[in-house]
Amino acid sequence: MPVSVIIPAYNEAMRLPGLLIELVSVMRKIPDAEVILVDDGSTDGTAAVAEGHLAGLPGGRVLRLPWNSGKGAAVRAGVSVAHGASIVFMDADGASDVNDLPLLLAALEHAEVALGSRRIGAGAVRSNGRRVGSWAFNQITRSLASLDVADTQCGFKAFRGQEAKLLFSLARSSGFGFDVEVLSIARSIGYRIAEVPIHWAEIPGGTFRVTRHTPAMIVDVVRARRYLGRAAPDLVVPANPASTASTERKGS
């Protein structure tokens, strides 16, 4: 099945090559695969670096946003132009191990959404400060949005293609808290969410700042609450018929 990988990037010229070299190597083995680097208004030559590394991949391209619009906006822009039957997004820093991609895709056989998780298993390497911050935000998410997911913020997530189009067309958050909104919409619709333990190693040099971005993320969490009770109680959107048929054939 064709796969689209979306990478939102803002001023990632220094860290991007490490990810793209490994990702391109993996994606060459997948027929009709595409990699879409969404340059979120960078000023450090991120787009040029990405174009250089993606030049040899038939499905590789760079989508440039005219100004910095936020991580959520960048991922949404990438999803809107993706063609894959499965759509994945991953952070540009290379913290997530690209070799875990098949695990996420395999999880989509039985779920509409698959989340890479740093809180399940023992594959995550991160500082105590990062670990405590992640735990605190997860507690806020559970209390305000009642979202029963162990790790909402890991930047490595996969979706069935049609479901991704619907979820991101309904989402409105543009910042770092967009994950909670998208997952809340998925829960309200009735989509199944699988969590997959992945290998993850913290990479220094990111643009996220706790004091600057956390308040906006909490606002996104509060906004996401409305989705969990909005859908009709019995509403469950059926899975992609093609995906379901494929799963049934494998199990027969």
Side-chain angles (χ1 to χ4, degrees), residues 94-154:
S96 300
D97 190 341
V98 174
N99 294 303
D100 288 332
L101 177 60
L103 298 178
L104 284 183
L105 296 177
L108 292 180
E109 292 186 6
H110 307 289
E112 286 73 42
V113 182
L115 313 180
S117 179
R118 300 162 294 185
R119 293 173 61 86
I120 299 176
V125 179
R126 48 184 171 168
S127 65
N128 289 333
R130 184 85 175 238
R131 191 182 302 274
V132 171
S134 174
W135 176 86
F137 186 75
N138 182 261
Q139 296 305 304
I140 293 173
T141 300
R142 285 178 177 270
S143 61
L144 294 181
S146 300
L147 191 60
D148 56 339
V149 174
D151 188 357
T152 61
Q153 299 309 113
C154 181

Side-chain angles (χ1 to χ4, degrees), residues 8 68 72-73 82 91 95 105 107 119 125 153 158 176 200-201 223-224 234 240:
N68 181 231
D91 288 345
L105 296 177
R119 293 173 61 86
V125 179
Q153 299 309 113
F176 285 98
W200 189 95
R223 183 187 298 122
D234 298 326
N240 185 323

Side-chain angles (χ1 to χ4, degrees), residues 2-200:
V3 178
S4 298
V5 174
I6 297 163
I7 305 170
Y10 174 63
N11 287 344
E12 291 285 4
M14 296 297 294
R15 302 194 296 180
L16 197 54
L19 168 65
L20 291 182
I21 291 173
E22 191 169 5
L23 179 61
V24 168
S25 176
V26 171
M27 298 299 280
R28 286 185 187 280
K29 303 172 185 177
I30 303 176
D32 300 320
E34 65 177 352
V35 175
I36 304 171
L37 187 291
V38 183
D39 179 19
D40 188 21
S42 299
T43 58
D44 68 342
T46 290
V49 170
E51 288 170 347
H53 284 279
L54 295 177
L57 185 68
R61 55 177 164 153
V62 175
L63 177 64
R64 300 193 190 200
L65 302 186
W67 50 75
N68 181 231
S69 301
K71 183 179 178 181
V75 174
R76 189 160 55 244
V79 170
S80 70
V81 300
H83 299 298
S86 301
I87 297 178
V88 180
F89 77 78
M90 63 188 309
D91 288 345
D93 59 4
S96 300
D97 190 341
V98 174
N99 294 303
D100 288 332
L101 177 60
L103 298 178
L104 284 183
L105 296 177
L108 292 180
E109 292 186 6
H110 307 289
E112 286 73 42
V113 182
L115 313 180
S117 179
R118 300 162 294 185
R119 293 173 61 86
I120 299 176
V125 179
R126 48 184 171 168
S127 65
N128 289 333
R130 184 85 175 238
R131 191 182 302 274
V132 171
S134 174
W135 176 86
F137 186 75
N138 182 261
Q139 296 305 304
I140 293 173
T141 300
R142 285 178 177 270
S143 61
L144 294 181
S146 300
L147 191 60
D148 56 339
V149 174
D151 188 357
T152 61
Q153 299 309 113
C154 181
F156 198 17
K157 295 180 172 67
F159 306 79
R160 293 183 182 179
Q162 293 182 1
E163 285 76 2
K165 298 282 188 180
L166 175 60
L167 290 174
F168 282 91
S169 70
L170 294 173
R172 293 294 176 266
S173 175
S174 297
F176 285 98
F178 79 97
D179 308 70
V180 175
E181 182 184 30
V182 169
L183 295 179
S184 294
I185 297 172
R187 271 285 189 250
S188 72
I189 291 175
Y191 288 163
R192 296 161 295 179
I193 300 176
E195 297 193 73
V196 180
I198 63 167
H199 297 87
W200 189 95

